[in-house]
Amino acid sequence: DTEVTQTPKHLVMGMTNKKSLKCEQHMGHRAMYWYKQKAKKPPELMFVYSYEKLSINESVPSRFSPECPNSSLLNLHLHALQPEDSALYLCASSQAGQDGQPQHFGDGTRLSIL
Amino acid sequence: DAKTTQPPSMDCAEGRAANLPCNHSTISGNEYVYWYRQIHSQGPQYIIHGLKNNETNEMASLIITEDRKSSTLILPHATLRDTAVYYCIVRVGDSWGKLQFGAGTQVVVTP
């Protein structure tokens, strides 16, 4: 069982729709991440939030808009997506500190764009 | 972050130990070795990590060579549920950086 919860588990949307992916953790972690994973490929980082502030954006298109309303929640707002954006979207979190604390992942939202 | 090299696939018999190698010859002194696995249709699961010393937890053991240029993940008694893609990742131990996943090793545990 994962301690990072992602909803919904599956999402099908049209290219003109607006939807949001949600991620929640209650481990007291102050860093949260969005990764994207295409079929048969490894995960790739999209965004990093540290202490609720965006610290890394891996040149992600503006049709993906992250939001961190508080230390436990992370959202990914989706608008005008393309069929190539169909993928598994993974959320992760980690503790603060410099001692190599690992990231912990949720089971993802599988997104399909029609 | 240093790159890693893993074999693309491995088979293992159920009940036997699975030894997964990883080469990271360009690792820096402040970089940790992390192991994750991803079972089909699930998110990556953290297994273990280490800096210099060997590490053991309830899931696995991590053996890091003295020169730190390679490591081995050991699953002591493989079960069918250990079938997954295993990723070896090397990175600095800061909290905000990305995990650079490679292709990993597809491990298939057979009865």
Side-chain angles (χ1 to χ4, degrees):
Chain A
D1 290 338
T2 179
E3 295 180 72
V4 176
T5 303
Q6 293 188 241
T7 55
K9 294 189 184 303
H10 302 276
L11 180 61
V12 179
M13 57 186 288
M15 288 188 286
T16 58
N17 292 155
K18 288 185 179 180
K19 296 286 185 183
S20 297
L21 309 185
K22 298 186 182 300
C23 174
E24 188 170 6
Q25 57 88 15
H26 294 289
M27 296 179 281
H29 292 172
R30 301 309 297 273
M32 298 187 76
Y33 312 77
W34 281 114
Y35 287 79
K36 174 182 178 179
Q37 185 175 23
K38 299 283 284 182
K40 301 188 185 302
K41 297 291 187 181
E44 294 180 338
L45 182 72
M46 299 174 72
F47 303 103
V48 180
Y49 273 81
S50 57
Y51 291 95
E52 295 88 67
K53 294 188 188 305
L54 183 65
S55 59
I56 296 177
N57 177 341
E58 291 285 299
S59 302
V60 178
S62 60
R63 57 185 184 269
F64 295 91
S65 176
E67 177 195 22
C68 191
N70 60 56
S71 60
S72 299
L73 294 174
L74 185 66
N75 299 320
L76 186 63
H77 303 297
L78 313 172
H79 174 55
L81 295 194
Q82 303 298 308
E84 61 265 27
D85 296 322
S86 297
L88 180 67
Y89 289 85
L90 295 160
C91 174
S93 69
S94 68
Q95 285 192 359
Q98 300 297 319
D99 59 351
Q101 290 298 312
Q103 296 176 23
H104 297 271
F105 286 80
D107 281 336
T109 293
R110 192 163 298 279
L111 178 65
S112 297
I113 307 300
L114 301 180
Chain B
D1 294 334
K3 291 185 177 179
T4 61
T5 303
Q6 299 178 253
S9 64
M10 285 183 58
D11 291 337
C12 178
E14 189 178 22
R16 302 293 295 272
N19 296 300
L20 282 62
C22 180
N23 287 323
H24 30 79
S25 58
T26 59
I27 192 170
S28 300
N30 62 346
E31 289 182 310
Y32 287 74
V33 179
Y34 296 83
W35 282 85
Y36 284 78
R37 73 181 183 183
Q38 189 169 22
I39 298 169
H40 183 61
S41 297
Q42 297 182 17
Q45 179 187 23
Y46 164 74
I47 300 173
I48 199 167
H49 76 287
L51 183 60
K52 296 180 182 178
N53 299 322
N54 298 336
E55 303 288 344
T56 295
N57 62 22
E58 65 278 5
M59 290 183 65
S61 295
L62 173 61
I63 307 299
I64 303 174
T65 58
E66 192 168 346
D67 64 8
R68 301 186 67 242
K69 293 184 177 182
S70 66
S71 60
T72 301
L73 179 74
I74 301 173
L75 307 178
H77 305 286
T79 71
L80 299 180
R81 289 180 293 180
D82 292 323
T83 293
V85 178
Y86 286 77
Y87 296 102
C88 168
I89 301 168
V90 172
R91 60 172 289 250
V92 177
D94 62 80
S95 299
W96 321 126
K98 66 181 176 184
L99 289 174
Q100 187 73 49
F101 288 83
T105 297
Q106 173 66 65
V107 173
V108 176
V109 180
T110 55

